[in-house]
Each structure stands twice: as structure tokens, then as C-alpha cells.
Amino acid sequence: MFKKILIANRGEIACRVIKTARRMGIATVAVYSDADARAPFVQMADEAVHIGPSPASESYLIADKIIAACKATGAEAVHPGYGFLSERTSFAEALAKENIAFIGPPVNAIAAMGDKIESKKLAKEAGVNVVPGFVGEIRDTDHAVEISNEIGYPVMMKASAGGGGKGMRLAYDEKDVREGFESVKREGLNSFGDDRVFIEKFILNPRHIEIQILGDQHGNTLYLNERECSIQRRHQKVVEEAPSPFVSPEMRKAMGEQCVALAKAVGYYSAGTVELIVSGADPTGESFYFLEMNTRLQVEHPVTEAITGIDLVEQMIRVAAGEKLTMTQDDVKIDGWSIENRVYAEDPYRGFLPSTGRLTRYQPPVAGWTDDGAANGRRGVDGVRVDDGVYDGGEVSIFYDPMIAKLITWGKTRDEAADLQVAALDRFELEGLGHNIDFLSAIMQHPRFRSGELTTGFIAEEYPEGFHGAPTDENVTRALAAIAGFMTSAEADRARRTDGQLGDRLDPPAKWQVTIGGTSHKVKLGRKHIKVDGDKVDIALEYTPGDRLVVAEIDDSELAVKVAKTHTGWRMTTRGRIHDVRVLPWHVAPLASHMIEKIPPDLSKFLICPMPGLLVALHVGEGDAVEAGQPLATVEAMKMENILRAEKSGVVKSVNAAQGDSLAVDAVILEME
């Protein structure tokens, strides 16, 4: 077994690998960039080596720097985590030349699966289902009809050089093919200068399901069941779960055996994932097709660990050291259900714009996961596990992926795992930047999610106008009114005890008008009860001025509410929604209608930066006339470029920023006349 390994990665996955290595008695080496100098993974490792500036292209992606760190510290092996160099054959080859073990698959397997076309050919040869299609030369419309009839409808006709949605036609029958084929050819020629067309089967109600593979260097290969990863945004996974609510035991066996055959065909060992697209419209479960193979550890590996009890990182290390797997396929079971939510630094209330900056408060619902070696330990604390690599007061940088943490829950049933997610998300305190906690909670509560009727279009279909908060149950609203009244009385009670008051015999106010979402409620506090609109609310809670989280027991259930004081009441966050709550004493409330409404200023003439980022391009200058929708500037944040467009027509009055500037959120880039 290795005595020392280096982790060629950062953040939560670096912490994850270090924890298991520590339990195995293996010393660890971290490598870090300028931006990560104070990161938790650097503190956790036994040794740490600085490898360069903050951009990944100058640090984590430089193989020579990783190898130099191995030599300097005597590390015998490298775990690449995911991303960065994890699937680069050149990196694995360079390590082999230096006699440093790569904790991952062999080079030939990485190369074979890294080529999209070649991997599909290999999959087909190995007996794995691939999406039926025709990529040769299509002579004419009659030939296109013949091909489509053989594939089976519906089919998608695509311009070979197409992109951006151009040169695509969906055909449900022969008539559609005859009407659309020539049109696709013309669009391809006009837009891309290439009139070649290919045809493939269109997968109805597509689901993204993947099979976890684990193999050793002695010819043993297993499948560790499946994960459902259909809920995605911009092809980025948001929610993952294991097992899948769609997959039957027969389907699981068929999928698993095909994926094992593919792994064996390329001599694969270590952990890997075969991604499949599955037709949710086919109740037989036979319509599953190979997409690609990820030759590394997946972000969502904890859900597999939770239901199987198998530590995938430990197995990767043991396999790399030449050990045989100690389990057989019959030993792989499914115990309960696990769901993972990715907590991202992005603001769903502002179109999911990237959000960077300092975490002024970071308090996860449970402490970060610790590896105690027990199979049940993979499930965290009472079924709640947090894998993270940040800390209270730390910074989420513009240079790397926006993921802050992974929240994993395990329950005996799918509903139990989802309920644990909602409760844990309510207790997840995160301040200082935008985050998607409310959005994740909304998904967990969504009736369609609970039904298991998932497709890769879930988010686009269910939130076509963007996210504005989860619907709020009437009982939750009444509870929030009661909590707001109670907290306001507690604040008033503290205020009356301040030295210099006119007297100390005055009782704090106990009658409040609480307005939530435009609806007002009368809240009255008694000695042993709280009434909302005249009805008693069965609630028990404690609040001390300054608390940021209030946990109330209501009708034998628990409601955790994140609270923040405002000028007129509270900002209360729970169950996937932010509530701006106004609280006034009964005798003051009638006067509120006489207050002058404050009208927000008109900001439409300003181009305002919606998130912190780098101004990579300025498309207009002072005096230029612009039209509504015209690109004005491009801002890069979290490795993504965001084009900012004109809201209305006008003339540029002044430009306040230059290309290359680092911009803060709400910074004014330019002003229109």
C-alpha cells in the first residue's frame, strides 16, 4: 500500500480524498494556488505545496508542477479527483514515466473513452445499446425516408455542422421527413456552409441515468447500481439520486451487464461511470443508450456510497496499489435511498447568475463529513452528510467551479430522503453571496419530483419564467406569522429593559399586525399561547435577540426558519422561499396606509453588472446608438461568459469601465442618454 499520495485537485473533493487516506494510514500532500492558500484542504493535508497563480491554467492544469510536487515530497501516487487533469492521458503518461502511480484507470481506457465517436463504436462492438442513427452520406429525400423508417420514429434530422439550435428538425412520421429534410440541408448550407445531414432516433422524455463501474487490475469488474441525474440546468447536474425511481431490477441488470462488458472491452479498472440516455416514454425500460464514459470519480459518488456502503475513494486507492476487489457482484446491494443536492454560488432569483465573494456566514446543517470507516458512516449524521471545502469567512473565487458544498441525505425511502433534504436545507445558513438553497428546496418539494416523473427538461419545463420561490403552504404562513410576532415581542422586551427608560413596569407589546405576501394577520401573544387571526397555533419555540435560526415545533413537526432583522420587521427564509415580513403594533397598523410609498429609482438607463466578474469585452463606445437586445458588454464569472444586452434603444452617454476591469456586483458599466 502507498505511504504517501498527492491530491491533484482542490475544494471539497480534495478534502474528501484526504479524509479516506487518513483513515487508511496514508499521508497526504495538497497542492494549491494563490486563491486557495487558506483553504481547508490545505490545512487538512500533512504537507502542502504551492503551485502557482490563481487561474487553473497556471496552476492545477500544469502537469509538470504536479509532478515536481510529487518528487519534492516523495508522493508515490496521485489522486486526480474530478475535472482538471483527471481525464488527460498526457498526465497519466507523464506520471508513469516518473514511476508515480495514477489513482485511476489505465491510459488506453482514458483515451478510448475520451473520443466521442470512437467510444460509441467501441460501445456498439461490446454489445452496448447506442442511439440508432445514420451518419453516412444521405443521397436524397427518399433515402432519408428509408433511413428514418429503419430507425423508427420519432427521429431528429440534424445539420452535420449545426449548432445553436439551427439545422434541426424533429420528424414523427414520413410526411415530416419529406417536408423537413431539404429545409435542414438548406439551413446547414446557409448557416455553416455544409449541407450534410445525419439522422438519429429522438429519445422521448429523456432521462439521464448512469451506471457506476468498479474494476481491479486482475480482471474483476462490478457495477454498483445506477444513479439518476436527470435534473440539470445548462447540462450541469443539480440533483442526483440512487437508485433511480424509473429503473426496475431487470433493467438495472441489463444496463449493468452491458456497462461491465464495455469496461472489460477497454481493459478498464478503478472507478468509472457509464452515462446513458433513457427513454422515459418506454415503460419496458429497454430503451437505454450509451452516451459516454467518465473515466474518473464522479461528483455524485456519495449517493452510491450511501446505498451500497462501499467507499469508492478507498477502492480506487486499493486498486491503484494492485489489490484485488474483495467483493463480488452478489455482494452489491441497495439499502435505502440517497439524494445529493449541489449547493452552488449562483442566484436563482436573478436568473442563476454566478455569485462570488466572501462567505460572511457558513453554517451547514451538520459538520463536514468525517470518514470513520463504517458503512453506515457514509450516510453522515442521522442520514445527513455534507461534503464541502469552504469555511465561515472564506471566499468563493471567480477562478473555479461555483459549487460550495454537496448535501447528501439517506433514508429508508425516497420520500424520507427528500424530506431530510428539505429539513437540512432549511438549516443551511449561507450569507454573503447568492446561492441556490431555496431553489433546491423547491425541487425537493415539487409534486413532479416526488412522483419520480423526471426528464432532463425538468427545470426548463417547471420554471419557464425563472425561479421566484417555492409555493408556501397556508399552515407555514400562519406559523411564520406566529414566529414573527413572538420574535418582535422578544426584541421589544429587550428594548424596554435598556437603561434610561421612563419606567420598568411596562409590559412589552403583545399584539401585532404581521403582513406576509400582501396578506395581514393579527397575532396576539398570551402567557401560554399564540393566536393568529383569533385561532390558537400549536407552536413551541425559543428566540433570543440576535439568533439567526429559529426552530419551531408545530403539530409534532419541525420548522426551521432563517431570520434577519429589517427596518420594518423580518426577512424569513424557509421551505424554499424568502418572505419579507412587516410587523407593526395593532394601534400603529391602521396608520401605515397613510405612509408615502417610496418609489425605486429608474435604473433602466444604466448597464449594471449583475455579478462580480471580469469585463472581457465592451462592444460599444460613447456616442454609439444601440437597439434593444444589442450586446453591450461581456462579463466572465465562474468560467462562463455572460453577454449583457441593452434593455431599450438609445445612445451611450458615458462609459464607466474598460476592458480588463474587475467589476463588483451592481457596478455601473455605462450610462445611456
Side-chain angles (χ1 to χ4, degrees):
M1 180 50 65
F2 307 119
K3 293 181 180 177
K4 184 184 289 188
I5 66 172
L6 181 144
I7 296 95
N9 217 297
R10 61 175 299 280
E12 68 86 14
I13 190 58
C15 294
R16 162 74 185 90
V17 176
I18 290 169
K19 289 171 183 176
T20 289
R22 179 182 293 165
R23 175 176 57 78
M24 296 174 69
I26 301 170
T28 55
V29 179
V31 291
Y32 65 94
S33 69
D34 289 346
D36 285 331
R38 297 181 181 178
F41 76 93
V42 177
Q43 308 299 320
M44 287 174 61
D46 297 297
E47 298 174 68
V49 178
H50 178 251
I51 55 168
S54 299
S57 59
E58 300 175 44
S59 50
Y60 296 107
L61 289 171
I62 306 296
D64 289 346
K65 292 186 176 183
I66 306 294
I67 292 170
C70 288
K71 290 180 177 179
T73 58
E76 305 157 84
V78 171
H79 195 302
Y82 49 74
F84 293 142
L85 298 170
S86 62
E87 294 181 281
R88 286 211 184 164
T89 52
S90 58
F91 179 55
E93 288 169 341
L95 289 174
K97 285 180 183 177
E98 300 295 339
N99 203 28
I100 300 168
F102 179 68
I103 303 176
V107 171
N108 64 296
I110 300 174
M113 292 295 103
D115 185 308
K116 294 287 187 285
I117 295 174
E118 195 61 32
S119 65
K120 286 189 177 181
K121 289 180 181 177
L122 285 167
K124 194 171 184 178
E125 290 170 7
V128 181
N129 298 345
V130 297
V131 178
F134 186 87
V135 293
E137 183 180 347
I138 301 174
R139 297 186 301 273
D140 51 29
T141 301
D142 287 338
H143 190 200
V145 169
E146 182 184 329
I147 291 166
S148 300
N149 288 338
E150 287 178 7
I151 292 171
Y153 295 99
V155 298
M156 178 68 80
M157 297 177 287
K158 296 182 181 178
S160 185
K166 293 180 180 177
M168 297 173 64
R169 286 291 187 284
L170 183 58
Y172 285 93
D173 52 33
E174 181 177 324
K175 179 173 174 287
D176 289 345
V177 177
R178 291 193 179 279
E179 290 178 354
F181 178 72
E182 291 298 330
S183 176
V184 172
K185 288 190 70 171
R186 284 193 301 272
E187 281 190 17
L189 185 63
N190 293 337
S191 298
F192 310 105
D194 187 340
D195 68 351
R196 291 177 302 159
V197 175
F198 68 92
I199 301 175
E200 66 181 13
K201 188 170 183 64
F202 180 73
I203 308 302
L204 290 169
N205 301 337
R207 304 178 76 116
H208 186 123
I209 295 174
E210 57 191 32
I211 297 289
Q212 175 69 58
I213 293 295
L214 180 64
D216 62 23
Q217 299 185 50
H218 305 277
N220 303 303
T221 311
L222 313 174
Y223 63 91
L224 307 185
N225 307 314
E226 81 284 351
R227 295 184 289 258
E228 172 99 43
C229 308
S230 295
I231 297 184
Q232 305 175 5
R233 196 182 66 78
R234 292 180 182 170
H235 307 294
Q236 179 79 40
K237 297 168 188 173
V238 177
V239 181
E240 300 104 347
E241 60 182 306
S244 163
F246 183 72
V247 175
S248 66
E250 295 77 20
M251 186 180 178
R252 180 176 299 117
K253 186 172 186 292
M255 293 166 69
E257 288 176 351
Q258 285 194 19
C259 295
V260 166
L262 174 62
K264 288 189 172 183
V266 295
Y268 197 94
Y269 56 78
S270 192
T273 296
V274 180
E275 304 205 354
L276 306 166
I277 186 168
V278 180
S279 173
D282 183 0
T284 67
E286 295 176 359
S287 301
F288 60 87
Y289 308 100
F290 172 81
L291 274 181
E292 62 180 341
M293 185 173 188
N294 291 315
T295 55
R296 54 170 168 79
L297 190 67
Q298 293 278 91
V299 175
E300 57 271 22
H301 74 273
V303 294
T304 295
E305 294 184 330
I307 65 165
T308 63
I310 297 168
D311 185 327
L312 284 167
V313 171
E314 177 184 347
Q315 294 302 319
M316 290 181 75
I317 294 171
R318 293 191 180 283
V319 167
E323 294 186 13
K324 284 186 177 181
L325 295 178
T326 58
M327 69 201 82
T328 65
Q329 191 63 58
D330 290 338
D331 296 325
V332 180
K333 308 295 182 185
I334 296 178
D335 182 11
W337 212 287
S338 185
I339 298 173
E340 174 181 294
N341 275 311
R342 301 189 187 188
V343 178
Y344 282 128
E346 60 182 18
D347 192 344
Y349 294 102
R350 301 180 70 183
F352 295 93
L353 287 170
S355 181
T356 57
R358 193 162 301 283
L359 288 164
T360 57
R361 187 170 183 81
Y362 178 76
Q363 293 292 328
V366 297
W369 177 73
T370 54
D371 187 357
D372 62 2
N376 286 347
R378 319 262 187 268
R379 299 169 182 167
V381 179
D382 297 326
V384 179
R385 168 177 165 178
V386 174
D387 282 20
D388 59 13
V390 299
Y391 61 98
D392 202 5
E395 189 171 357
V396 176
S397 166
I398 66 171
F399 297 104
Y400 312 117
D401 186 87
M403 191 169 69
I404 297 170
K406 301 185 308 198
L407 178 64
I408 304 103
T409 56
W410 176 90
K412 293 179 181 178
T413 65
R414 187 169 183 266
D415 278 342
E416 187 178 323
D419 288 342
L420 278 172
Q421 280 283 346
V422 175
L425 289 164
D426 278 348
R427 288 175 173 268
F428 211 128
E429 299 180 65
L430 211 163
E431 297 174 14
L433 42 71
H435 55 77
N436 66 338
I437 287 175
D438 288 351
F439 181 61
L440 297 174
S441 181
I443 292 175
M444 293 295 98
Q445 300 171 69
H446 200 290
R448 181 174 164 191
F449 174 79
R450 291 300 180 114
S451 74
E453 297 296 322
L454 311 179
T455 70
T456 53
F458 178 92
I459 290 176
E461 292 159 9
E462 299 301 328
Y463 302 97
E465 303 300 322
F467 178 71
H468 307 289
T472 303
D473 179 81
E474 183 181 337
N475 292 330
V476 172
T477 302
R478 287 169 52 81
L480 290 176
I483 294 168
F486 184 88
M487 292 191 301
T488 309
S489 285
E491 294 279 347
D493 186 51
R494 182 177 69 167
R496 78 184 178 93
R497 298 172 189 274
T498 304
D499 189 37
Q501 301 289 328
L502 291 176
D504 57 4
R505 297 183 180 275
L506 293 174
D507 289 328
K511 296 179 180 180
W512 305 99
Q513 178 180 284
V514 179
T515 303
I516 304 175
T519 302
S520 296
H521 305 271
K522 290 208 165 187
V523 178
K524 183 178 180 181
L525 278 69
R527 289 189 177 275
K528 294 184 179 181
H529 67 267
I530 301 177
K531 286 184 177 181
V532 176
D533 297 327
D535 296 325
K536 284 186 180 180
V537 177
D538 185 10
I539 187 169
L541 71 149
E542 291 183 4
Y543 172 75
T544 301
D547 286 351
R548 296 170 183 255
L549 182 71
V550 174
V551 180
E553 290 185 15
I554 308 162
D555 299 326
D556 298 324
S557 64
E558 192 174 272
L559 182 70
V561 185
K562 292 179 279 261
V563 299
K565 195 85 174 67
T566 64
H567 290 299
T568 58
W570 304 90
R571 171 163 276 205
M572 306 175 75
T573 307
T574 190
R575 294 292 191 269
R577 192 177 190 91
I578 297 171
H579 302 269
D580 286 312
V581 181
R582 187 179 69 178
V583 185
L584 297 171
W586 276 12
H587 66 282
V588 173
L591 305 176
S593 61
H594 299 290
M595 295 295 289
I596 298 173
E597 184 180 354
K598 185 177 180 181
I599 300 172
D602 178 17
L603 300 177
S604 63
K605 64 180 182 178
F606 297 102
L607 179 66
I608 296 174
C609 188
M611 68 285 188
L614 181 70
L615 183 60
V616 295
L618 195 60
H619 305 297
V620 294
E622 191 173 317
D624 287 354
V626 300
E627 298 296 326
Q630 180 179 333
L632 301 180
T634 301
V635 176
E636 181 187 278
M638 295 291 190
K639 302 188 291 186
M640 288 183 62
E641 290 193 356
N642 302 271
I643 299 174
L644 308 183
R645 302 178 184 274
E647 288 187 23
K648 57 186 180 182
S649 301
V651 176
V652 178
K653 179 181 178 182
S654 62
V655 177
N656 298 355
Q659 185 173 321
D661 285 357
S662 290
L663 303 175
V665 65
D666 293 335
V668 175
I669 299 173
L670 57 83
E671 182 181 354
M672 309 282 288
E673 288 183 352

